[in-house]
């Protein structure tokens, strides 16, 4: 129950929550006396955690190597296991930019997983091998004007590649030396790789780069911008990635980078080749560049590395039309006359921006998601010349709001803007930006406090104010004009009574997952805005703790969280477990290395967590490519699986409904019923599997769990998890349905009744806009009764007793269905809810005797 009380250069401002936007990528503070001077560079072993770079995705540890100058710094892992998808170490763990301002000097860093691979010829997938470090040292400490960290090692198996293809790779029989070389005043580090051929054959070896960026970073390709599909299989001169206040780039002199494939957020490339006949060695270099927030700064460093002279400069200001005030956060696109994306620059807080470009004609387009687009301004860039440009852009419109419940308390909420009228948008071009919003809305905005303001592109909108599935929503039609502020005060009626329950979503992803760009701030804020009280953090093969972020946002009375994990195998499916022990000192914060494990071994590893209790859940068990029951060939009719080695019943729950995966219900429902009929007490679960919170995913469906408190901040984690284990759960895909037997027994309970009649009390609640249509009673997997639902009594759609006559021990489930979209809260969803079973002991022996058994 609700207790009241990559790509910055994508012309899409980050949708980070406002209190946390400015400093998201900021890492560790650097004392002024420790900042190097011009011409200085250093390399040293990290002796104290304060010497690390830090940042929201920092992986460096004490004992690693730090190499840095006055502009940039890097942490190199030594011969130790590393986090991420390359577990063997020896790589760049963190890459930071040093920024100094009125509040001192700070490192900024959000670089994700980037690691080398090695293979023969063009076999970048099947033959890919990793780098296994053996030793690491400071080769040069910088006193002579150059700093070098050297890591020696060998080629080794690539575990996730082996799992993916179910086959190993042949050893290359090579020694590998990687020198990380940093010069004074450079904004890039040279990665010099030497291959030593110790075998008796082979002479050509390829050096690959695998990118797993995440954290809001998106790759930008010259001419193609964000259009990944256009560059698959091609060679590009350089790569850039930017977002959330940082930028990175990769540059291979002469040969460029061969872009092979993109699997989710994993980009597979070849950075070059070397020819090393048996008994010889050969070296190859590429550069990792660190930019100041935009693609243009990365390109500037690339031109410096090339010592290129055929370049020109654009130095400009972007101001708000009518006021002349700076327009920070606007993106200036440098386009060719044909509209090809050449580069992109971020407008700084003082309104300035800068390009270094090859001489030719460009059209400069100043753009923002919240402002109308001006006409592009042509500019001719000339060799060695500086062109000064002033660009004007319209101001945004603004909506101020106050959102309260019917008791007058301000509450977290979602505001969704559906565009009715407005100027054409040039940025409807996926090479320039990608929208983070979904549900058919132009913009979705979350508020933690219920009071604030949001900038919007001028136009006429239908504006929806909502707070999840327990509230009625309100709508307003608003014409929002450039430079003007509209004000709306709305009341959202809390109509669904869920006293005695807390709502949880046990499958939620954020930026520690390689396929989610949601910050933890955004995820927690989004949960509060839809009335979800307990999101379980289940990032892929990482442990994540939301609680510090929840406290920073000040929403403890609305949201709590539990540390979990989605263990994401290739061959066996995906499994969640919670609660788990978060330890930032461990690889992937303590997550299990599942490579090569059988499913029983995976379940046992979860059980070995130091915590008191764990709930293990099978995720999307019948989803193509990720379903455990499909992988092991489980047959619910017989209760047997073809793969007896990997089939295990040592799990506690299963996702009957994953997001809007209604097509899977034809398989998951019989699976669940089959387990119940064989006496396996599997808790039926519904989760969102949310990866993109601003696409309105989180909290559909959700699980209402019996709780002694309605305040999330007072939740006892062990008690909450035990309630889930005991099946005291109702899955809410819109309607909240609860069922008891003989006035007392609730889901998970066994009630003894031998007189042949059991009274099931069923109550269905939902706001009027959800429109459930049918209540179904299920007994031992068979539908025995159905009742139409009408909204004339909403929010209570059904509240009555259903008499049943069990001839033998029987379990009962109540299910509620509907066909109409749940607009505007979950536009892509429809009502689908169900309780967990109540068990009836009809023969009086004090236990539930299932009708079937496992073979």
């Amino acid at each position: 129950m609700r207790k009241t009380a990559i790509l910055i250069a994508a012309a899409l401002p980050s949708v980070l929550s406002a209190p946390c936007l400015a400093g998201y990528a900021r890492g560790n503070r650097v004392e002024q006396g420790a900042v190097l001077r011009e011409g200085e560079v250093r390399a040293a072993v990290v002796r104290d955690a304060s010497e690390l770079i830090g940042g929201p995705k920092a992986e460096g540890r004490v004992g690693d190597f730090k190499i840095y100058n006055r502009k940039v710094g890097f942490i190199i892992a030594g011969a130790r296991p590393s986090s991420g998808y390359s577990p063997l170490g020896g790589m760049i763990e963190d890459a930071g930019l040093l920024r100094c301002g009125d509040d001192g000097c700070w490192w900024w860093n959000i670089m994700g997983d980037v690691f080398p691979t090695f293979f023969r010829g063009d076999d970048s997938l099947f033959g890919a091998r990793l780098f296994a470090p053996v030793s690491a040292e400071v080769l040069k400490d910088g006193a002579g004007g150059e700093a070098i960290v050297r890591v020696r090692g060998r080629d080794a198996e690539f575990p996730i590649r082996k799992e993916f293809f179910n086959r190993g790779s042949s050893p290359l029989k090579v020694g590998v030396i990687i020198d990380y070389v940093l010069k004074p005043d450079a904004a890039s580090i040279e990665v010099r790789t030497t291959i030593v051929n110790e075998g008796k054959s082979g002479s050509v070896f390829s050096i690959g780069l695998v990118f797993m960026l995440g954290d809001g970073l998106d790759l930008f390709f010259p001419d193609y911008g964000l259009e990944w599909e256009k560059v698959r299989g091609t060679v590009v001169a350089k790569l850039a990635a930017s977002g959330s206040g940082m930028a990175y780039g990769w540059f291979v002199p002469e040969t460029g980078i061969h872009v092979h494939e993109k699997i989710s957020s994993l980009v597979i490339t070849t950075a070059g080749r070397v020819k090393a006949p048996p008994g010889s060695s050969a070296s190859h270099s590429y550069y990792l560049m660190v930019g100041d927030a935009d693609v243009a700064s990365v390109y500037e460093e690339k031109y410096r590395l090339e010592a290129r002279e055929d370049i020109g400069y654009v130095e400009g200001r972007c101001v708000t039309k009518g006021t002349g005030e700076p327009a920070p956060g606007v993106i200036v696109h440098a386009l060719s006359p044909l509209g090809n994306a050449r580069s992109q620059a971020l407008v700084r807080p003082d309104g300035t921006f800068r390009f270094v470009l090859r001489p030719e004609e460009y059209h400069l387009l100043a753009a923002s998601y919240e402002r109308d687009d001006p006409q592009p301004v042509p500019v001719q860039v000339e060799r060695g010349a500086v062109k000064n440009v002033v660009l004007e852009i319209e101001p945004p419109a603004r909506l101020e709001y106050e959102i309260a419940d019917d008791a007058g308390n301000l509450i977290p909420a979602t505001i969704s803007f559906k565009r009715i009228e407005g100027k054409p948008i040039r940025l409807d071009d996926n090479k320039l930006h990608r929208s983070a919003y979904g549900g058919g809305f132009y913009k979705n905005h979350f508020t933690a406090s219920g009071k604030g303001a949001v900038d919007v592109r001028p136009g006429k909108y239908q504006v929806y104010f909502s707070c999840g599935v327990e509230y009625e929503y309100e709508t307003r039609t608003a014409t929002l004009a450039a430079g003007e502020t509209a004000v709306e005060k709305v009341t959202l009626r809390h109509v669904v009574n869920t006293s005695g329950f807390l709502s949880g979503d046990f499958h939620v992803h954020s930026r520690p997952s390689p396929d989610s760009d949601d910050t933890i701030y955004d995820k927690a804020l989004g949960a509060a805005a839809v009335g979800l009280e307990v999101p379980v953090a289940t990032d892929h093969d990482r442990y994540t703790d939301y609680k510090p972020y929840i406290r920073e946002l000040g929403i403890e009375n609305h949201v709590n969280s539990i540390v979990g994990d989605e263990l994401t195998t290739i061959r066996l499916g995906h499994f969640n477990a919670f609660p788990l022990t978060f330890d930032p000192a461990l690889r992937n914060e303590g997550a299990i290395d599942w490579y090569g494990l059988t499913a029983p071994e995976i379940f046992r590893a979860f059980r070995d967590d130091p915590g008191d209790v764990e709930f293990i859940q099978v995720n999307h068990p019948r989803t193509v490519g990720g379903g455990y029951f499909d992988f092991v060939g489980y047959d619910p009719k017989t209760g047997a699986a073809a793969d007896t080695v990997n089939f295990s019943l040592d799990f506690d729950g299963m996702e009957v409904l994953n997001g809007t995966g209604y097509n899977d219900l034809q398989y998951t429902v019989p699976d669940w019923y089959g387990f119940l009929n064989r006496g396996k007490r599997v808790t039926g679960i519904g989760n969102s599997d949310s990866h993109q919170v601003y696409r309105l995913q989180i909290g559909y469906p959700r699980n209402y769990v019996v709780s002694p408190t309605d305040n999330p901040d007072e939740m006892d984690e062990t008690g909450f998890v035990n309630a889930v284990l005991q099946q005291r759960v109702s899955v809410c895909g819109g309607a909240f349905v609860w069922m008891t037997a003989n006035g007392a027994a609730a889901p998970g309970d066994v009630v003894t009744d031998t007189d042949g009649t059991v009274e099931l009390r069923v109550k269905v609640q939902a706001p009027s806009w959800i429109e459930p249509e049918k209540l179904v009673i299920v007994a031992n997997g068979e539908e025995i009764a159905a009742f139409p639902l009408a909204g004339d009594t909403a929010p209570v759609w059904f509240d009555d007793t259903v008499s049943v006559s069990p001839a033998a021990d029987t379990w009962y489930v109540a299910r509620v269905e509907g066909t109409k979209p749940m607009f505007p809260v979950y536009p892509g969803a429809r009502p689908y809810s169900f309780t967990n079973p109540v068990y009836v002991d009809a023969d009086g022996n004090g236990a539930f005797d299932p009708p079937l058994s496992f073979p």
Side-chain angles (χ1 to χ4, degrees):
M1 176 184 177
R2 170 46 79 45
K3 182 179 178 68
T4 59
I6 344 179
L7 183 69
I8 262 187
L12 173 64
S14 170
V15 287
L16 286 165
S17 52
C20 312
L21 169 61
Y24 174 72
R26 190 161 72 176
N28 290 345
R29 184 185 179 96
V30 181
E31 295 302 323
Q32 190 65 46
V35 176
L36 297 184
R37 295 187 296 270
E38 186 175 351
E40 292 184 328
V41 64
R42 294 285 185 273
V45 176
V46 176
R47 303 297 184 187
D48 187 87
S50 64
E51 300 169 6
L52 294 167
I53 289 174
K57 203 173 181 181
E59 302 288 2
R61 301 180 193 171
V62 172
D64 286 343
F65 298 83
K66 182 178 180 180
I67 184 169
Y68 62 105
N69 60 27
R70 68 187 180 97
K71 292 182 177 180
V72 295
F74 306 85
I75 300 296
I76 313 297
R80 66 160 176 88
S82 61
S83 294
Y85 283 89
S86 176
L88 302 177
M91 69 184 71
I92 299 175
E93 291 279 38
D94 302 309
L97 180 74
L98 188 63
R99 290 183 174 131
C100 295
D102 294 338
D103 60 345
C105 297
W106 298 81
W107 287 113
W108 294 69
N109 163 48
I110 55 169
M111 195 184 79
D113 221 6
V114 181
F115 54 90
T117 61
F118 306 93
F119 48 92
R120 286 192 172 92
D122 295 317
D123 194 7
S124 61
L125 290 178
F126 289 104
R129 305 274 291 174
L130 289 185
F131 175 56
V134 175
S135 66
E137 61 179 325
V138 174
L139 195 65
K140 293 184 179 182
D141 66 3
E146 181 180 62
I148 302 177
V149 172
R150 171 169 287 181
V151 186
R152 295 177 180 270
R154 306 190 57 79
D155 66 298
E157 186 60 78
F158 191 171
I160 195 169
R161 187 217 58 80
K162 181 179 179 181
E163 292 282 338
F164 191 89
F165 293 111
N166 198 25
R167 55 180 279 191
S169 57
S170 299
L172 299 178
K173 298 181 181 179
V174 298
V176 179
I177 302 170
I178 302 181
D179 288 336
Y180 297 97
V181 184
L182 185 62
K183 301 290 181 64
D185 307 320
S188 58
I189 189 168
E190 178 186 358
V191 183
R192 185 187 303 152
T193 304
T194 301
I195 302 292
V196 182
N197 189 348
E198 300 172 351
K200 296 181 180 180
S201 62
S203 61
V204 178
F205 301 92
S206 295
I207 300 168
L209 274 177
V210 177
F211 303 86
M212 186 75 78
L213 295 171
D215 285 282
L217 291 168
D218 265 335
L219 289 170
F220 178 89
F221 303 96
D223 290 335
Y224 301 110
L226 309 184
E227 292 183 295
W228 154 256
E229 294 297 331
K230 297 286 183 65
V231 298
R232 176 186 275 119
T234 67
V235 176
V236 296
K238 52 190 177 291
L239 290 179
S242 63
S244 301
M246 285 296 296
Y248 297 98
W250 290 265
F251 165 55
V252 181
E254 299 180 1
T255 63
I257 300 173
H258 188 174
V259 183
H260 296 292
E261 190 54 76
K262 185 172 183 285
I263 304 171
S264 185
S265 294
L266 189 149
V267 181
I268 300 168
T269 71
T270 296
R273 290 183 180 180
V274 296
K275 187 173 183 179
S280 69
S281 63
S283 298
H284 176 273
S285 289
Y286 66 85
Y287 293 84
L288 166 58
M289 305 172 288
V290 182
D292 190 8
D294 57 16
V295 171
S297 62
V298 170
Y299 285 6
E300 184 167 354
E301 174 65 8
K302 187 254 187 184
Y303 292 144
R304 188 197 67 81
L305 287 169
E306 294 178 303
R308 184 178 289 277
E309 296 181 355
D310 58 333
I311 53 176
Y313 305 87
V314 174
E315 295 184 350
R317 294 186 70 246
C318 183
V319 299
T320 299
K321 189 175 183 179
T323 69
E325 294 295 318
V330 168
I331 303 300
V332 179
H333 301 264
L335 308 175
S336 75
L338 296 178
N340 294 325
R342 301 286 200 229
S343 186
Q344 295 170 321
L346 173 70
V347 177
R348 305 302 198 242
D350 63 358
T352 62
F353 63 90
R354 172 183 168 91
F355 286 104
V356 180
L357 297 165
R358 301 285 296 276
E360 66 173 291
E361 182 184 353
Y362 296 89
H363 289 186
L364 301 184
L365 171 63
S368 165
Y369 201 75
E370 283 78 21
R371 301 169 184 248
D372 280 330
D373 305 332
Q375 290 294 324
V377 174
V379 60
Q380 181 68 47
V381 174
E382 299 173 355
R383 177 173 175 152
V386 177
K387 288 295 179 76
N388 293 295
V389 179
V390 176
L391 304 180
E392 287 189 322
I393 189 169
E394 294 282 351
R398 171 162 287 201
L399 177 69
E400 288 186 359
Y401 54 81
E402 286 189 18
I403 306 168
D405 63 12
D406 33 356
N409 301 301
L410 292 172
I411 57 172
T414 302
I415 306 174
S416 298
F417 296 84
K418 193 169 186 64
R419 192 173 170 90
I420 300 173
E421 296 175 1
K423 293 182 179 179
I425 304 167
R426 288 188 187 85
L427 292 186
D428 279 347
D429 185 337
N430 59 13
K431 70 172 175 286
L432 299 180
H433 89 289
R434 60 183 178 90
S435 175
Y437 306 112
F441 295 114
Y442 186 76
K443 185 171 187 174
N444 296 305
H445 172 75
F446 301 141
T447 170
S449 66
K451 183 175 182 178
V454 55
D455 288 342
V456 185
R457 181 181 288 266
K460 185 177 182 180
Y461 293 89
Q462 198 71 25
V463 187
Y464 298 88
F465 302 84
S466 65
C467 188
V469 295
E470 297 181 21
Y471 289 78
E472 298 288 355
Y473 72 83
E474 289 290 324
T475 184
R476 302 284 190 274
T477 300
T479 299
L480 305 176
E484 296 183 6
T485 298
V487 178
E488 294 288 353
K489 296 183 179 181
V490 299
T491 297
L492 303 181
R493 291 189 300 120
H494 188 207
V495 296
V496 176
N497 182 3
T498 58
S499 297
F501 295 85
L502 288 174
S503 59
D505 187 342
F506 307 153
H507 193 166
V508 172
H509 295 275
S510 57
R511 286 194 176 181
S513 288
D515 54 357
S516 173
D517 279 340
D518 290 345
T519 71
I520 300 174
Y521 296 111
D522 284 331
K523 213 70 184 196
L525 182 62
V530 298
L532 175 70
E533 293 153 321
V534 189
V536 177
T538 56
D539 288 313
H540 295 289
D541 302 313
R542 304 294 298 255
Y543 292 178
T544 307
D545 185 3
Y546 285 11
K547 290 182 180 179
Y549 301 84
I550 290 170
R551 289 193 295 269
E552 188 175 345
L553 288 167
I555 55 175
E556 300 96 319
N557 283 340
H558 300 287
V559 180
N560 204 328
S561 184
I562 298 174
V563 175
D565 175 39
E566 181 169 27
L567 190 146
T568 311
T569 78
I570 306 299
R571 296 178 295 107
L572 296 174
H574 300 179
F575 310 96
N576 277 3
F578 61 90
L580 297 169
T581 303
F582 176 86
D583 187 344
L586 298 178
R587 166 174 155 76
N588 296 329
E589 299 77 41
I592 297 165
D593 281 328
W594 52 264
Y595 307 122
L597 297 183
T598 64
E601 290 170 336
I602 288 170
F603 298 153
R604 194 174 309 121
F606 276 138
R607 302 288 184 204
D608 287 341
D609 185 88
D612 296 331
V613 62
E614 289 82 37
F615 179 81
I616 298 177
Q617 166 186 293
V618 179
N619 291 348
H620 40 73
R622 293 292 184 178
T623 298
V624 175
Y628 175 55
F629 296 159
D630 282 333
F631 282 127
V632 298
Y634 177 69
D635 185 349
K637 295 180 181 179
T638 64
D643 185 350
T644 56
V645 171
N646 281 297
F647 181 60
S648 170
L649 293 174
D650 189 20
F651 58 87
D652 307 300
M654 61 171 284
E655 286 184 337
V656 178
L657 180 60
N658 175 281
T660 56
Y662 306 117
N663 291 336
D664 290 343
L665 290 171
Q666 60 185 312
Y667 308 109
T668 58
V669 170
D671 285 334
W672 184 43
Y673 290 171
F675 288 128
L676 299 178
N677 279 335
R678 290 180 170 83
K680 171 64 177 172
R681 288 174 63 102
V682 175
T683 303
I685 297 296
N687 294 317
S688 70
D689 198 356
S690 170
H691 287 70
Q692 297 171 306
V693 68
Y694 284 92
R695 292 188 180 275
L696 303 182
Q697 298 170 330
I698 192 169
Y700 179 88
R702 66 187 68 181
N703 306 279
Y704 280 96
V705 181
V706 172
S707 169
T709 178
D710 292 339
N711 188 337
D713 197 31
E714 299 172 355
M715 178 189 75
D716 173 69
E717 185 173 274
T718 298
F720 181 87
V721 176
N722 274 325
V724 179
L725 286 164
Q726 295 161 8
Q727 298 183 305
R728 301 189 183 283
V729 177
S730 180
V731 175
C732 173
F736 172 55
V737 54
W738 192 245
M739 179 174 68
T740 58
N742 289 349
D749 287 341
V750 177
V751 56
T752 297
D753 191 308
T754 60
D755 65 5
T757 300
V758 175
E759 302 296 323
L760 301 178
R761 184 74 184 190
V762 184
K763 186 174 184 179
V764 179
Q765 298 180 75
S768 59
W769 56 269
I770 286 181
E771 299 187 68
E773 297 168 0
K774 180 172 67 171
L775 166 68
V776 177
I777 305 298
V778 178
N780 284 1
E782 300 295 328
E783 297 183 4
I784 60 169
F787 304 91
L789 301 177
D792 53 1
T793 60
V796 178
W797 295 72
F798 188 93
D799 187 6
D800 206 349
T801 298
V802 179
S803 296
V804 294
S805 303
D809 288 9
T810 305
W811 57 262
Y812 294 94
V813 161
R815 188 175 76 237
V816 173
E817 302 175 7
T819 59
K820 297 182 180 180
M822 291 170 53
F823 185 89
V825 179
Y826 295 112
R830 59 178 171 80
Y832 190 91
S833 304
F834 57 91
T835 68
N836 269 268
V838 176
Y839 300 89
V840 174
D841 165 32
D843 59 14
N845 69 351
F848 174 75
D849 301 313
L852 301 174
S853 61
F854 288 100

